[in-house]
Amino acid sequence: MAEMRILSKHLINGFYTVFNPVGDLLENANIHPHVVTASGFLLSVITAWLFWKGYMFWGGITLILAGACDVLDGRLARNTNRTSRFGAVLDSTVDRYSEILVFMGLAAFFHSAVMSAIIILAMAGSLLTSYVRARAEGLGLECKIGLMQRPERVTFIAVGAIIGALIDVIFGTQQPLLKLAIVGIAVLGNITVIQRVLHVRGQLKNGVEKEQ
């Protein structure tokens, strides 16, 4: 299946490049990758609280910083030869908790049955996207395809929160852009799950055919 993403690789790599100086600083300071992972989780907790209290602009900013930590801990582990299987499991587990916290913060803010249902769908799509990849890798398959991967999810919520907050100030609206972003994650996130399941099915089918 051809690679299809909302964010281009050039845009994602550009984001990584912005934080390269921070990565260099962490390496020179001999900071352990787990410290960066824990910092990202703490920032996610702060993000959830800010969303809950309605500070959408600052919640979007802290979400971006949490996403940066998710990038930097992996880079730090690779560049300092501190990669380990446990570290990979820990990082992935903390990432899932971080996503759940952010969605919980949004649900607490909107306090609406309809929005809560949409947020649950968005959260399900996000978690299952990662789950299908993990199951595929457990079978020895690669599964990194899909429209709504973690960088896209972070971007949708952060942009929806930051720009949405500015729109609210100017036009007196009530977070229409952020709501649209969450709906987008709910729809495209679950489409990504289907994409990955079909991708795994195709790989397994081709593998069986090759063996025959």
Side-chain angles (χ1 to χ4, degrees):
M1 184 180 293
E3 175 73 6
M4 293 186 297
R5 297 195 65 165
I6 294 173
L7 300 180
S8 69
K9 288 185 178 180
H10 294 296
L11 188 59
I12 295 172
N13 290 335
F15 175 82
Y16 295 164
T17 301
V18 169
F19 288 96
N20 277 342
V22 180
D24 294 338
L25 182 65
L26 293 172
E27 289 176 32
N28 293 333
N30 199 31
I31 302 297
H32 198 283
H34 290 177
V35 174
V36 181
T37 301
S39 299
F41 179 75
L42 178 60
L43 284 166
S44 295
V45 172
I46 295 171
T47 299
W49 183 84
L50 288 169
F51 282 161
W52 174 30
K53 295 301 181 180
Y55 301 113
M56 297 302 174
F57 180 87
W58 296 110
I61 296 296
T62 54
L63 180 59
I64 291 173
L65 295 177
C69 288
D70 185 35
V71 172
L72 291 170
D73 59 2
R75 170 198 150 147
L76 190 61
R78 289 188 297 272
N79 291 355
T80 59
N81 295 317
R82 286 169 168 164
T83 56
S84 67
R85 287 183 292 181
F86 171 73
V89 171
L90 177 65
D91 182 48
S92 181
T93 303
V94 170
D95 284 349
R96 302 294 78 74
Y97 273 118
S98 296
E99 286 198 89
I100 291 170
L101 281 170
V102 171
F103 283 122
M104 286 176 62
L106 291 169
F109 169 76
F110 287 112
H111 197 61
S112 155
V114 173
M115 281 306 301
S116 293
I118 294 172
I119 289 169
I120 289 171
L121 285 174
M123 184 164 57
S126 300
L127 297 179
L128 286 170
T129 294
S130 300
Y131 175 77
V132 174
R133 175 180 172 180
R135 289 290 292 135
E137 290 177 346
L139 296 172
L141 305 173
E142 185 175 285
C143 189
K144 298 180 181 179
I145 63 119
L147 289 169
M148 186 59 66
Q149 300 183 44
R150 184 160 169 77
E152 283 82 2
R153 297 195 296 268
V154 170
T155 301
F156 266 50
I157 295 176
V159 170
I162 294 170
I163 298 181
L166 297 177
I167 291 174
D168 287 352
V169 170
I170 296 171
F171 297 103
T173 53
Q174 295 184 340
Q175 293 296 329
L177 188 61
L178 181 55
K179 290 178 181 177
L180 184 61
I182 296 170
V183 170
I185 294 173
V187 174
L188 297 176
N190 286 285
I191 287 175
T192 298
V193 174
I194 296 170
Q195 284 181 299
R196 290 193 168 185
V197 170
L198 293 176
H199 179 67
V200 170
R201 179 177 180 272
Q203 289 187 80
L204 291 173
K205 184 178 179 181
N206 290 335
V208 170
E209 289 176 350
K210 287 178 181 178
E211 289 177 4
Q212 292 176 344

